[in-house]
Amino acid sequence: MTRPALRMCARCERTTEEPVLVHEVHAPTGPGFNVYACPECAVHYPPLTDALNVLDALNAPDVMESPQHRSRLTLRVYRLNAEGRVTEDRGSLEIIAGGRHEPVPRTSAYPPCACPRCRTPR
């Protein structure tokens, strides 16, 4: 004789003998846990996804090359007055990496300073 599974529904917080697995919580330092719902509440949860499938999809070569999945960095250069208001906006620069193997550009200033002192050759 097997004992029926008895779990609490994560949505309505009632116990059910027909639990539906709706989410798996993975823990980096130990065992994770499962989240269950009753059949009536299970339809309100998105379909269960496997974390390993998501990682494989993100590491696919065609995904890494798409602009929305590449690393992005935006630098804004501006001056503030004593009250914290922007007095001079010197623009912004967006850097988009081409993939995991492309190094970040190495410069002394990004964007280069355009003040008269820095433009003077030394």
Side-chain angles (χ1 to χ4, degrees):
M1 182 165 124
T2 61
R3 195 170 134 196
L6 188 62
R7 300 279 188 258
M8 186 180 78
C9 175
R11 187 166 185 261
C12 67
E13 298 182 356
R14 288 183 284 175
T15 56
T16 178
E17 292 182 358
E18 301 172 344
V20 177
L21 179 65
V22 293
H23 188 67
E24 293 175 330
V25 178
H26 299 280
T29 58
F33 60 93
N34 295 331
V35 178
Y36 294 95
C38 62
E40 294 82 24
C41 294
V43 296
H44 297 286
Y45 286 90
L48 195 62
T49 57
D50 185 9
L52 296 177
N53 291 340
V54 172
L55 288 175
D56 288 341
L58 287 177
N59 289 327
D62 57 335
V63 172
M64 290 302 296
E65 296 303 318
S66 66
Q68 66 266 24
H69 286 94
R70 288 189 274 178
S71 296
R72 178 180 311 249
L73 171 70
T74 303
L75 299 173
R76 292 185 57 217
V77 181
Y78 50 89
R79 289 183 188 256
L80 301 175
N81 63 12
E83 290 84 34
R85 291 193 198 102
V86 176
T87 59
E88 180 185 356
D89 188 354
R90 296 181 60 194
S92 64
L93 175 71
E94 187 172 90
I95 300 169
I96 300 175
R100 295 186 191 272
H101 305 290
E102 183 179 295
V104 176
R106 296 186 184 271
T107 62
S108 60
Y110 224 112
C113 183
C115 76
R117 186 180 63 131
C118 292
R119 284 185 290 173
T120 307
R122 297 178 192 218

